[in-house]
Amino acid sequence: MAFAFFFAGQGSQSLNMMSGFDGVAVVRDTFSEASDALGQDLWAMMNGDNTEIIAQTVNTQPLMLAAGVATYRAYLAAGGAKPVALAGHSLGEYSALVASGSLNFTDAVKLVRKRAELMQSAVPQGVGAMAAILGLGVHQVRDICAAAEQGDVCEAVNLNSPEQTVIAGNAAAVERAMVAAKDAGAKRALSLPVSVPSHCRLMKSAADELAEYLKNVAFRQPEIRVIHNVDVATHQTVDEIKNALVQQLYRPVRWTETVNLLAQEGVMQAAECSPGKVLAGLAKRIHKEMVCAALVSQTAIDEFITAQSI
């Protein structure tokens, strides 16, 4: 049966998040490759005791990229068949592009570190914020954001499921929107552990600088189809892929539509190739008949491969 792979982004990081792969050489090798590219020990950082350090976007982005790629490599090393499609949530799109053969891993590590630096410099830490709104439809959340702006920025940016929307913008406006969402009947309004307000127009200047940086990064035509966040479409040319990545910085992640597109095409099985179960849970909420495994350990990978062969 045809299946897709999903890669998570910021917000899914945690200390010791690759503990399910202890002793798996390809995983350690992948982190060593990333660490060498940056001159920084990512494995030690991830297995330390400081949650705040791994939540800083300049660290989170290379950490999550390495985690996604390492998991995918462990899957291939175990004899797993290639998926028919790949999709990454926000930052996870870069892991998807590496898995597709479109982007060299070492180049990707340096690219996401640069992306993170541009994002952080565009909005200093503490100025922006993100929050998840649960239990309200996206149209209602958009109306709440518009009312909360009051001269600031507040937008619906991650359209994660029919009843889960992430908002981003200036911290004060996001706080106003959280209060308004609760008053409107939201089940929960939760601040997210990120240091920049991704996918809103506060990121436009960072996107412009990213476009310049991407001019010197080599991409190739993907060997596996990648569904991009910004337009829920597949792109084949290098220029189209780079343009999608630039727009992704300041435009919403259309995750609900991504999962629905796969379902409409008959792809009803997926695996979250990341250290967590966020996307697996969202897939079930978006399309109840979609089965999505979470490859959080070597055991989970082996079980998924076995299930595909039955």
Side-chain angles (χ1 to χ4, degrees):
M1 181 178 289
F3 59 93
F5 266 25
F6 298 149
F7 296 86
Q10 288 183 249
S12 289
Q13 74 276 1
S14 63
L15 295 173
N16 306 303
M17 62 185 176
M18 298 299 287
S19 61
F21 296 95
D22 285 345
V24 181
V26 69
V27 171
R28 285 300 300 268
D29 290 347
T30 300
F31 271 83
S32 294
E33 187 179 347
S35 297
D36 289 345
L38 298 179
Q40 183 180 26
D41 192 338
L42 296 180
W43 188 266
M45 181 191 299
M46 176 181 65
N47 292 295
D49 58 4
N50 194 326
T51 302
E52 291 183 5
I53 287 180
I54 68 167
Q56 293 173 5
T57 192
V58 293
N59 295 324
T60 308
Q61 295 204 24
L63 279 170
M64 288 302 299
L65 173 76
V69 172
T71 302
Y72 186 68
R73 288 178 173 177
Y75 166 80
L76 293 179
K82 290 185 178 180
V84 299
L86 306 164
H89 189 286
S90 185
L91 169 69
E93 192 165 295
Y94 289 80
S95 298
L97 286 167
V98 173
S100 77
S102 178
L103 180 59
N104 174 273
F105 177 57
T106 300
D107 289 343
V109 172
K110 296 175 182 177
L111 173 56
V112 299
R113 169 57 62 82
K114 181 65 175 181
R115 177 180 184 264
E117 290 171 350
L118 293 174
M119 293 170 72
Q120 194 69 77
S121 63
V123 181
Q125 194 160 347
V127 173
M130 299 181 75
I133 308 300
L134 282 63
L136 298 179
V138 64
H139 296 296
Q140 190 172 5
V141 173
R142 281 175 171 153
D143 289 343
I144 288 171
C145 287
E149 285 199 324
Q150 300 178 24
D152 290 328
V153 171
C154 187
E155 300 175 8
V157 297
N158 293 349
L159 316 183
N160 287 340
S161 76
E163 290 197 343
Q164 184 188 123
T165 302
V166 172
I167 64 175
N170 294 104
V174 169
E175 181 63 31
R176 289 192 292 269
M178 291 172 67
V179 172
K182 291 176 183 177
D183 291 342
K187 293 177 182 178
R188 301 183 76 180
L190 305 169
S191 294
L192 297 182
V194 296
S195 58
V196 293
S198 303
H199 308 296
C200 71
R201 61 185 186 272
L202 291 177
M203 289 291 109
K204 184 60 170 67
S205 62
D208 293 341
E209 293 185 69
L210 181 66
E212 288 298 313
Y213 185 84
L214 283 170
K215 290 179 180 178
N216 297 312
V217 180
F219 282 77
R220 296 170 293 280
Q221 183 175 345
E223 298 170 6
I224 305 173
R225 175 189 180 197
V226 176
I227 302 172
H228 291 270
N229 292 175
V230 72
D231 53 8
V232 198
T234 300
H235 299 294
Q236 293 297 321
T237 73
V238 168
D239 286 345
E240 288 174 340
I241 292 169
K242 289 182 177 181
N243 185 52
L245 293 177
V246 170
Q247 291 188 61
Q248 187 215 56
L249 268 190
Y250 64 94
R251 291 178 60 186
V253 174
R254 296 162 61 182
W255 193 251
T256 299
E257 293 171 84
T258 298
V259 174
N260 279 332
L261 174 65
L262 290 167
Q264 290 164 12
E265 295 175 349
V267 181
M268 298 303 297
Q269 288 198 18
E272 179 171 358
C273 200
S274 306
K277 302 180 180 180
V278 173
L279 300 183
L282 289 177
K284 192 68 175 178
R285 295 187 187 97
I286 295 167
H287 202 289
K288 293 181 179 180
E289 296 179 4
M290 181 171 283
V291 177
C292 188
L295 307 185
V296 296
S297 65
Q298 186 63 51
T299 299
I301 285 176
D302 294 340
E303 291 175 349
F304 181 75
I305 293 173
T306 298
Q308 297 307 307
S309 63
I310 296 175

